[in-house]
Amino acid sequence: MEPGNVTQSSEFLLLGLSETPGQQPLLFGLFLCMYLITVLGNLLIILAVSSDSHLHTPMYFFLSNLSLVDICFTSTTIPKMLLNIQTQSKAITYAGCLTQIHFFILFGGVDDFILTVMAYDRYVAICHPLHYTVIMNSQLCRLFVLVSWIMSAVISLLQCLMVLDLSFCSDLEIPHFFCELKQVVQLACSDTFPNDIVMYFIAGLLGGGPLAGILYSYGKIMSSIRAIPSAQGKYKAFSTCASHLSVVFLFYVTSLGVYLGSVGTHSSQSSATASVMYTVVTPMLNPFIYSLRNKDIKRALERFLGR
């Protein structure tokens, strides 16, 4: 295939996590189990929050949105991976690859922004408790979620439009289990400098901006907690944000770990394996973190499952 623009009939090859035939059934079973646990766990959170009137508060409104996004985020990559293993095919169409890039960035961005909004919610609840219901009204909560979706959609569309301008050579093998933007750009024959600039700028924007907001919110929260005189009061205040803090820590540690790992090693296969942490493992663990550390969610799940 001569260098030139890839048409819709062209295909990329997803090499996956392993090319060893004997490991494919194990990978299929493992990822199918993780995917089902992720979907069912997050779906239970959504159903528990929607069915319990006591949980119709800003914090749980954001949590149910986070669970929905986690289901969508995982569904962007894992079903295609499972299909390829089952059919013993590595192919993904050009249109399918672009679609996967678009939704991966979209849901990943929304996930990031919602975690930031949840940090702001905890900041208002702990630092301004008397004004919490006034500040975090339903209109503002919906606006936060809407803006998160709009910003992520704009960023995702921009990245996809820039990929459309690229020309590709005959080597269309992606050493990953999904169409990861950086890996696709590296396959291009044409100049990728504009793509690299925009890609790293957006990565810094999505990573640095929300993280700065989260750190600022928790800095204020810690200051307020230190000012509480009783140990019991400090524990009660901190326990309201412990679950969210755990999720944030897991999300950013795994994401930064993959990024730093890809910088420190030239092995794309190692990077693909490490990316399983934030694409699959983190969304799978989120329901467990909230259900195990949150008494309200525990009670709501018990009531819902006990029906």
Side-chain angles (χ1 to χ4, degrees):
M1 181 177 180
E2 294 299 319
N5 288 332
V6 178
T7 62
Q8 289 186 352
S9 60
S10 300
E11 293 181 336
F12 290 95
L13 296 178
L14 297 173
L15 300 184
L17 295 173
S18 173
E19 296 187 69
T20 307
Q23 293 181 353
Q24 301 310 306
L26 176 62
L27 287 173
F28 182 86
L30 179 63
F31 277 85
L32 178 61
C33 287
M34 289 196 294
Y35 179 65
L36 291 176
I37 291 171
T38 301
V39 173
L40 291 175
N42 283 288
L43 188 60
L44 279 175
I45 294 290
I46 295 171
L47 293 174
V49 171
S50 61
S51 64
D52 193 328
S53 59
H54 296 95
L55 299 184
H56 293 174
T57 62
M59 181 174 74
Y60 295 111
F61 170 74
F62 295 130
L63 176 59
S64 59
N65 276 274
L66 181 68
S67 294
L68 174 62
V69 174
D70 279 342
I71 292 173
C72 297
F73 185 58
T74 309
S75 299
T76 302
T77 57
I78 302 305
K80 177 59 180 173
M81 176 190 178
L82 295 174
L83 179 63
N84 282 6
I85 294 175
Q86 184 67 21
T87 58
Q88 298 182 355
S89 169
K90 299 177 182 178
I92 182 171
T93 64
Y94 178 64
C97 193
L98 270 181
T99 302
Q100 203 172 62
I101 290 173
H102 168 69
F103 285 111
F104 184 82
I105 297 173
L106 172 65
F107 296 131
V110 175
D111 208 325
D112 202 10
F113 288 130
I114 288 181
L115 285 174
T116 308
V117 172
M118 291 175 77
Y120 176 73
D121 171 74
R122 293 299 83 205
Y123 157 71
V124 176
I126 293 173
C127 300
H128 305 283
L130 298 179
H131 303 286
Y132 178 72
T133 54
V134 176
I135 297 174
M136 298 302 296
N137 56 74
S138 58
Q139 290 84 0
L140 182 64
C141 292
R142 293 192 186 97
L143 180 62
F144 275 144
V145 173
L146 178 62
V147 170
S148 297
W149 280 96
I150 291 173
M151 289 179 64
S152 299
V154 170
I155 290 170
S156 179
L157 285 172
L158 174 62
Q159 293 280 34
C160 288
L161 287 173
M162 295 195 70
V163 172
L164 282 171
D165 288 334
L166 295 176
S167 299
F168 295 88
C169 302
S170 56
D171 183 13
L172 297 177
E173 293 184 345
I174 301 173
H176 220 298
F177 63 93
F178 68 95
C179 285
E180 200 266 336
L181 177 63
K182 184 180 178 182
Q183 298 288 343
V184 173
V185 171
Q186 287 177 346
L187 295 177
C189 292
S190 54
D191 181 27
T192 62
F193 181 74
N195 296 76
D196 292 334
I197 293 296
V198 172
M199 186 165 54
Y200 286 113
F201 173 77
I202 289 177
L205 183 68
L206 284 176
L211 182 59
I214 291 170
L215 291 176
Y216 175 81
S217 296
Y218 275 104
K220 292 291 187 180
I221 288 171
M222 293 305 170
S223 298
S224 295
I225 290 176
R226 282 201 303 268
I228 298 174
S230 68
Q232 186 179 1
K234 289 180 180 180
Y235 174 79
K236 185 177 179 181
F238 183 76
S239 64
T240 62
C241 55
S243 297
H244 175 258
L245 196 57
S246 301
V247 171
V248 168
F249 178 79
L250 188 63
F251 179 82
Y252 276 99
V253 165
T254 53
S255 301
L256 290 174
V258 170
Y259 173 75
L260 295 175
S262 64
V263 171
T265 180
H266 297 290
S267 173
S268 299
Q269 205 70 34
S270 299
S271 176
T273 304
S275 66
V276 172
M277 287 300 297
Y278 74 91
T279 57
V280 186
V281 176
T282 300
M284 180 183 70
L285 291 180
N286 285 355
F288 292 99
I289 293 173
Y290 275 101
S291 60
L292 291 174
R293 299 185 62 92
N294 191 301
K295 292 180 180 179
D296 293 332
I297 290 290
K298 272 185 182 180
R299 284 193 291 266
L301 284 172
E302 288 170 0
R303 281 194 291 266
F304 178 77
L305 295 173
R307 287 181 175 182

